[in-house]
Structures are given as structure tokens and as C-alpha cells.
Amino acid sequence: MKDMLEIRWHGRGGQGAKTASQFLAESALELGKSIQAFPEYGPERAGAPIRTYTRISDHPISIHSPVTTPDFVVVIDPTLLESVNAAEGLSDKGVLVVNTTEDVSAIRRKANFTKGKVAVCDATKISLEILGIPMPNTPMLGALLKVEQIVSIEALANNVRKKFIKKIGEEKTEANVKAIKRAFEETKIG
Amino acid sequence: MCEHLPREMHKNGKRIVETEVKMATQKLVPLTGDQAVAEAMRQIEPDVVAAYPITPQTEIVMNFSQFVADGKVQTELIPVESEHSAMSACVGSAAAGARTMTATSANGLALMWEIVYIAASTRLPIVMPVVNRALSGPINIHCDHSDTMGARDSGWLQVFSESAQEAYENTIVAIRIAEHKKILLPCMVCQDGFITSHAVEGIELFPDDKVKKFIGEYTIEHSLLDMDNPVTYGPIDLQDFYFEHKRQQAEAMKGALTIIPEVLAEFNKTFNRNHDLLEEYKLSDADIAIVATSSTAGTVKATIDELRKQGMKVGLLKPRFFRPFPKERFVKSLSNIKAIAVLDRSDSFSAQGGPWFSEIKAALYESKKQPLITNYIFGLGGRDIFPENIKKVYSDLEAIKKAGKVKSLVNYLGVRD
Amino acid sequence: MAKKKGWKEIPIGGLIDKGGTAKEYNTGSWRTFKPIVDQSKCINCLQCWIYCPDSSVIVKDGKMEGFDYEHCKGCGICASICPVKCIKMERE
């Protein structure tokens, strides 16, 4: 891992982008890393485009400003590619990870991102099939880990269990873990 | 969220410490700044908390209310109908001798204004976390320091926190500072709204028993409820004595400057920390320096690390306490710097710059060297400040150093023309 | 008149550190007119006792017994409220 990993998440209010950014950070914290996970609060309404951020480092993190040059960008809602510049600030080493039914080259065109890698995963389909509701945030964590093993799938799964079990019960928690694992398997990188 | 922490429960009114979970206290737990402050309040376990929720302070009151509901603290929680009532209840409770806390932000602080002054004047050591937020209007819920800066002359101590960890620690130490017999002043513990209050970071929570031991028991000299020795709090105080009481407040604030370092030294020894009235970061050999507080200080540190790699001799002075104002420490830390930029997250329209700037500049009038100094107003209403903005300030300072003079005293950083 | 205490000598925060201090304040010296009661006319209705702002009407066993001139400021409310006009205000 480089000195500090920075991830930007694009989602819509209510899709769990904040939760996803925290799951990842907290899993890294368990491994002894320094972390930050924070949302960019705008108008807090269901459906409004929102950004959240995760920082993970081996050293204490002192910076307290939004991520501008992310290593990874995760787009939780495919319709956002129409309205936000998801690839903004991504270098040629960066990876754009998108929840979509389309393939890598289509997303590359749509996001106008030619430099780095693109990863695609139909997280909405996975969540509908496994969870029965469109909550693509947890599967997108699996997609991101396919791109870079920031933490192990098991470490992430354990954190999801710890946070979810009281809130949504064992059955739904395990469904989320299953969705993460399936997304990990199905993610295509190009 | 902190299942592995030592947890206290109350059964039949008796406090039972669950010893089996008492290990692993060094482990960091993921908490937001608000949650971290609520944890500090849980450990402090004040006798009374009277508070009203307001963004971005809400999660402090919400989490603390949960601790009360779960029986983790025996605090008397007074859910009031406004901040004016919150501070009023705090004044009554503190006069009775209860260790008392509340928390607020921006418009909430504005609504309690009248009683904010009364709390300080009556010398009641109430500790109040304030999650800094722009004081409307136009209405805005995001960070700037206009709320607490407006209260800078209210007679409250004010300490600013860079991170969630610092907000947690400052909340604990503020109890000891406010309640010190030679101080007896209320204290605002400030942190940046959303930027730290809603960001999750790894927090080291001190063991409950260690915190409780450090803060100790609070006893008031004259309790309003001591029927055997009746006293009067808050009588009318006119031309004949009011001025003398104000003079006492000035003296208490002045005395706090020498007592706070003593309390901090004890805190540092107990918790292995390095708190001071202000903090220097790569300042001793710096040519040019920024003065910045709260979360911005962290962003400046990260920028300094980057610029130092390029050979630039840049530094930071991060004040923690605005009240009391450590004038001599500013003179000592800044006199040898060639050019200084003070960053203010609030404006003071038509004054000689923002609150930090006008006071630091006035302090440096007493320095023989009188370094070049300039002011940047930034981040109003939550406008983000990036390392790029900080680099611009350092490059301006380079130009000032070279030219040997300041062209523009008060500047606006990050605003669209 | 005694010299007032300085800021180093008084309790902080405006605190009055004992009870009943109003008693020490001799407001009787403010008086220019003095209430005099004619006990033979008094019906002991105690209206004067209720209205007196300085608790300066002395009552014993339900009977009006005169005035506490240490604290009576001579405001005349008692004379004004008295239904049988048995209190008159005389020059000091």
C-alpha cells in the first residue's frame, strides 16, 4: 500500500455510501491503520447526489479536507455518471469502480476516463437477487476489494457482521456478506 | 460501537464495573468527533446535563441520551425546550453545586446568549462542547467559527480542537480547568462542525476509571441548596460593586494562563500526552509560518510535510486556547518568524482583520522584532480549505518575505471574485 | 460612611455568602415621613402588614403593634391602604 490510500464514493442519499465508506475504514482500523471516513453533507435528501470519502494510512492522518486526488472512485449509482464528473482527480494509476449493467469500454466512454483502469459490477442486480432490495453499497465494497485488496474480504465481512447484526439481524447480515463475496467474484476489470 | 471497552453498569443504584472487558483499552475505536465527545461525557458522568439538540452538535446529545437511557450513567438529563432554557438550567444546577454540562452549536449558542454571560459572571464552571457552525444568515449548517468568536468576550474559557481525539481529550481536561478553585470559569470545548464532528477516525479512549480519577469529585464552596448556610446567587449588582466583580473575572482569566499549563501537565503525565496552550509544528527553524487552529491546523501540517520535502522552511503555530489568550507565548513563538499568516475562520467586519489576527498582531506590537504579518479569512459557512489553498498562503508569505512588506493586510481565501 | 471593599475582598460572582443580609441594611435612614398608628382606631385587618414592601409592620399574636423604624422607608403605603385611616404620616 502506498503512504495513504484515498477513496471517493459517489452515491445518492439513502443508498448507503456513508456506511460503505465507514465499513472499509473501520475494517482497516481493525488492522491497525489510521483512518478517516466522512461524508460531504449537502442537502440531506433521499436521492440527492452525495460524496463520501475514506482515507487509510500507515501513519497518523492530519489532513482534514475532502479528497481531491483519489486512488479509487466508487460509483454506487450508475445514473450518477450522467450528472457528476466521477473520474475527476483520478490519475492514470487510479481505478474507477462502477455499479453498472454496461461493460468496461462503455463506462470508460461515459465517464470520459481513458487513463486508468475501470472496474464494473452489476451491484444492483446482486443486491436485488440476494437482499431483495436495491442496496448496492455493500456489494460495491466487494467490487472495490477485487480491484485492490485494501483489507481482506473476511476482515470486511467481520466488520459488516459487527455493525449490522444488531441492526438488521443475522439473516440479512449474512445476505450482505454473501452479496459482497458475489460482487467480488463478478467484478470485471479492464 | 465500542463493545470491547470497559463498561459500567448501574444495578440497584450501585456502580458495577464489568471487569472481564477491561482489557484492550489502547485499541482505537472508530468514532466521529461528536461520538468521541459523548464518550468523554459518559466517562465524566456529570451530575446534570441540560441540552437541546442542534446540527451539527445533535449526535453528542443523542449519544449521551442513549447512555442515560441505558443506565450507563446516572446523570440527571434535562431535555429542555430551547437553548435559553438549557443554559438557564445549567446555571441553576451549577449554583447548586452539581457538575454540569451542556453542548450546542451556532444558533443554539446565540439563543442562550443572555445566560452564557450570566454563567461566566456567576463563576459557574459549566463545560460546554460547542460544535462550530456558521451563525446564520443566510442559513447555513456548516463549519466556521463565527458562533464562538462572537462569545469571545463572554468570560468563558475557549479551547479549540484539531481532531476528534483532541475534542475528546479537551472535554475531559476542561472539567479540571473550569472547576479549578483559582479559575472557576465555564469552558467551551470547540471542534469543527461536520469536518471533525461527523468524520469517523480511530479514537483512543482512556479507561473509564482513569478519567474518573483524573477529574475527581467536584465540591462547590457555596451551594445554593445548602439550607443551613443560605447564600444568594445572582443578586442585583449596580454601580457600587458590578465593576469589582468584572475586575475579578479579568483576574481569573489572567490567572488561568498560569494554572492551565499546570493542569495540562498533570493531564499529560496521566495520559501520556503533550498538550499546551499552543502547539508548534516545525516552527523552530521556519522562515514563514501560518497560525491556524482546529481542523485546519491538521491540513496545514499535512501541507507543511509536503513543502518541507521541497526544501521550504515552513511552519505552523496552532493555538489551542483563545481564552485565556496566551499573549506572551505568541510573542515567544512568532518573534523570529520573517512572515506570518493568521488564518481566521470568521470575519469581524471592518475590524483590523479576524479575531485571531487582530489579537495576535496586537500581541506582536510588544515584540522588538515585529515580524511581517497578514490575515486570511477563510472557510466561512463550511467552504472547504485544501492543501492548495495553504500552499497559496505560503507562496504569498514567500513574496512578503522577499518584498519586506505586507501589501494587503486582510485577505479572503477561497472566495469567488 | 464605611469605605466599600475592593475586588480582592468581596466574594466572587456577585455571591452573597450568607442569608438575611437585608436586615443589616438600615433603610430607616431614608425616611422623611414617619407612619404613626392610632391603636384605638386600628381594627387589626393587617392590610398594612400585607402591603408593606419592607416587612416593617410589627405583628404579634394577630395584632398590629407598630413599626420597625430601622427599616421603614416611610413610603406611606400603609397609610394609603388602611381602611379605617388610623395611620398618618408625620414629618420626621
Side-chain angles (χ1 to χ4, degrees):
Chain A
M1 198 193 284
K2 67 164 208 172
D3 195 41
M4 182 156 70
L5 265 187
E6 296 185 303
I7 300 144
R8 187 173 69 220
W9 308 75
H10 290 277
R12 294 191 180 279
Q15 289 177 335
K18 184 181 156 202
T19 305
S21 70
Q22 287 184 11
F23 276 157
L24 182 66
E26 290 171 14
S27 305
L29 182 71
E30 288 282 324
L31 302 176
K33 308 281 185 191
S34 293
I35 56 126
Q36 273 181 357
F38 57 104
E40 193 170 278
Y41 283 93
E44 293 169 64
R45 295 181 305 241
I50 61 149
R51 295 159 169 233
T52 67
Y53 307 96
T54 307
R55 282 195 178 98
I56 298 169
S57 176
D58 287 329
H59 309 289
I61 302 168
S62 62
I63 190 166
H64 274 111
S65 63
V67 170
T68 51
T69 53
D71 300 284
F72 306 106
V73 172
V74 184
V75 181
I76 291 174
D77 189 286
T79 64
L80 283 168
L81 287 181
E82 317 273 340
S83 56
V84 302
N85 182 4
E88 189 182 4
L90 268 180
S91 75
D92 49 7
K93 285 181 188 143
V95 186
L96 180 65
V97 190
V98 183
N99 168 23
T100 179
T101 55
E102 298 182 82
D103 63 10
V104 165
S105 55
I107 293 302
R108 204 178 274 291
R109 262 197 318 277
K110 228 177 214 174
N112 194 22
F113 181 59
T114 50
K115 298 179 284 185
K117 283 183 180 166
V118 169
V120 293
C121 173
D122 193 351
T124 301
K125 186 178 132 201
I126 292 171
S127 69
L128 279 173
E129 286 181 10
I130 297 181
L131 304 169
I133 47 165
M135 282 302 285
N137 62 335
T138 43
M140 286 310 285
L141 280 162
L144 175 63
L145 293 194
K146 180 74 169 281
V147 170
E148 171 102 10
Q149 194 170 2
I150 301 163
V151 297
S152 71
I153 283 275
E154 265 322 303
L156 181 75
N158 285 339
N159 188 265
V160 169
R161 286 190 183 106
K162 205 166 100 182
K163 301 287 282 197
F164 264 177
I165 214 132
K166 269 189 200 162
K167 211 172 162 188
I168 60 173
E170 196 175 340
E171 195 185 330
K172 284 180 186 167
T173 301
E174 284 311 315
N176 271 283
V177 170
K178 201 173 153 194
I180 291 170
K181 288 181 177 171
R182 185 168 148 198
F184 182 87
E185 297 303 328
E186 292 183 8
T187 298
K188 291 187 178 66
I189 307 167
Chain B
M1 74 202 60
C2 33
E3 288 84 344
H4 53 281
L5 290 171
R7 183 180 297 169
E8 289 190 333
M9 314 242 321
H10 295 281
K11 283 177 191 157
N12 308 325
K14 252 181 100 180
R15 190 180 295 173
I16 297 159
V17 180
E18 286 181 304
T19 43
E20 73 271 23
V21 287
K22 222 176 166 180
M23 70 303 170
T25 43
Q26 290 303 307
K27 198 162 177 206
L28 302 185
V29 287
L31 296 174
T32 64
D34 275 356
Q35 288 168 337
V37 166
E39 288 289 340
M41 290 172 70
R42 179 186 60 76
Q43 295 179 318
I44 292 162
E45 196 176 354
D47 298 311
V48 173
V49 168
Y52 190 85
I54 179 170
T55 303
Q57 156 266 38
T58 310
E59 281 75 7
I60 295 178
V61 179
M62 188 182 86
N63 282 285
F64 188 75
S65 302
Q66 191 67 54
F67 294 143
V68 174
D70 292 348
K72 288 183 183 172
V73 291
Q74 289 194 311
T75 300
E76 180 80 32
L77 180 73
I78 311 175
V80 283
E81 84 292 349
S82 77
E83 285 85 356
H84 189 278
S85 299
M87 189 50 76
S88 299
C90 285
V91 164
S93 135
R99 181 173 270 158
T100 305
M101 294 183 77
T102 182
T104 196
S105 288
N107 302 47
L109 178 61
L111 187 54
M112 61 171 67
W113 200 255
E114 177 187 10
I115 321 297
V116 164
Y117 273 69
I118 290 170
S121 308
T122 314
R123 308 294 296 274
L124 302 171
I126 299 159
V127 171
M128 173 165 69
V130 181
V131 184
N132 282 125
R133 158 183 156 178
L135 194 51
S136 308
I139 192 156
N140 181 295
I141 57 168
H142 288 275
C143 177
D144 70 33
H145 294 175
S146 53
D147 50 1
T148 49
M149 278 306 168
R152 65 188 187 268
D153 293 336
S154 64
W156 282 61
L157 306 163
Q158 291 185 327
V159 57
F160 288 83
S161 320
E162 179 185 329
S163 60
Q165 183 74 44
E166 263 196 27
Y168 165 75
E169 294 175 16
N170 284 340
T171 305
I172 292 166
V173 77
I175 296 283
R176 281 284 304 277
I177 291 169
E179 290 174 359
H180 194 286
K181 295 285 177 221
K182 287 183 182 161
I183 298 180
L184 287 174
L185 291 170
C187 183
M188 296 182 194
V189 181
C190 311
Q191 67 166 311
D192 281 352
F194 289 107
I195 300 167
T196 61
S197 72
H198 284 59
V200 174
E201 295 187 307
I203 304 296
E204 184 194 336
L205 295 179
F206 305 136
D208 289 4
D209 53 353
K210 221 169 162 184
V211 172
K212 287 193 194 306
K213 197 176 163 213
F214 176 76
I215 60 169
E217 293 284 327
Y218 172 59
T219 49
I220 193 168
E221 202 182 335
H222 299 282
S223 166
L224 189 59
L225 296 183
D226 182 355
M227 293 305 172
D228 296 330
N229 303 288
V231 293
T232 304
Y233 274 89
I236 193 164
D237 197 24
L238 300 178
Q239 300 96 318
D240 51 352
F241 278 105
Y242 181 87
F243 201 173
E244 278 69 28
H245 289 123
K246 291 290 138 184
R247 180 66 186 83
Q248 289 175 336
Q249 276 180 267
E251 195 65 12
M253 200 53 103
K254 190 178 153 201
L257 268 183
T258 51
I259 293 160
I260 290 171
E262 291 169 19
V263 179
L264 291 178
E266 202 186 321
F267 179 85
N268 293 341
K269 208 177 145 197
T270 309
F271 297 107
N272 192 23
R273 285 296 186 272
N274 197 21
H275 288 240
D276 197 354
L277 289 164
L278 34 76
E279 176 191 327
E280 295 184 356
Y281 187 77
K282 301 190 178 173
L283 193 68
S284 56
D285 69 335
D287 280 342
I288 54 177
I290 283 176
V291 179
T293 190
S294 294
S295 69
T296 310
T299 306
V300 173
K301 284 177 186 173
T303 312
I304 287 173
D305 292 346
E306 208 183 318
L307 294 176
R308 283 261 168 181
K309 280 179 195 156
Q310 298 164 25
M312 286 179 74
K313 284 189 163 183
V314 292
L316 164 76
L317 182 64
K318 179 187 91 178
R320 289 173 192 269
F321 283 84
F322 186 57
R323 291 289 181 266
F325 186 78
K327 180 190 80 177
E328 272 148 34
R329 297 292 303 275
F330 279 105
V331 173
K332 195 166 164 242
S333 289
L334 294 175
S335 282
N336 291 321
I337 307 294
K338 296 197 174 80
I340 302 156
V342 178
L343 270 51
D344 267 291
R345 203 162 194 150
S346 65
D347 204 348
S348 185
F349 307 119
S350 181
Q352 300 289 303
W356 281 107
F357 178 69
S358 51
E359 298 210 18
I360 293 168
K361 187 169 158 247
L364 290 175
Y365 184 79
E366 291 176 27
S367 160
K368 281 191 186 107
K369 296 190 176 164
Q370 297 202 355
L372 296 164
I373 186 163
T374 183
N375 186 209
Y376 291 84
I377 310 289
F378 77 99
L380 303 190
R383 177 66 49 87
D384 286 317
I385 179 145
F386 294 100
E388 292 313 309
N389 303 119
I390 311 289
K391 285 177 195 167
K392 155 89 167 64
V393 172
Y394 278 124
S395 106
D396 289 356
L397 285 176
E398 279 291 344
I400 288 169
K401 189 186 85 178
K402 226 170 259 174
K405 63 176 179 190
V406 174
K407 273 189 199 150
S408 170
L409 204 60
V410 183
N411 310 277
Y412 291 85
L413 185 65
V415 71
R416 291 184 299 276
D417 283 329
Chain C
M1 208 172 165
K3 202 179 162 219
K4 286 196 183 79
K5 286 178 177 174
W7 64 268
K8 291 175 188 166
E9 302 161 300
I10 57 175
I12 60 167
L15 181 91
I16 299 171
D17 59 3
K18 56 180 190 274
T21 50
K23 213 171 181 178
E24 293 168 19
Y25 202 164
N26 189 354
T27 46
S29 66
W30 299 7
R31 203 170 52 238
T32 53
F33 283 83
K34 183 178 184 176
I36 307 285
V37 63
D38 179 351
Q39 298 281 13
S40 67
K41 286 189 197 161
C42 177
I43 57 170
N44 290 309
C45 67
L46 304 188
Q47 290 284 310
C48 53
W49 176 78
I50 291 168
Y51 277 86
C52 176
D54 291 287
S55 306
S56 294
V57 176
I58 300 164
V59 174
K60 255 184 205 156
D61 302 326
K63 288 205 165 81
M64 197 288 193
E65 296 212 331
F67 298 98
D68 164 12
Y69 291 114
E70 294 286 297
H71 297 97
C72 167
K73 293 186 296 208
C75 70
I77 286 178
C78 52
S80 173
I81 202 70
C82 179
V84 294
K85 300 290 166 209
C86 70
I87 300 170
K88 61 176 188 232
M89 300 301 291
E90 283 184 4
R91 272 182 92 147
E92 278 288 342

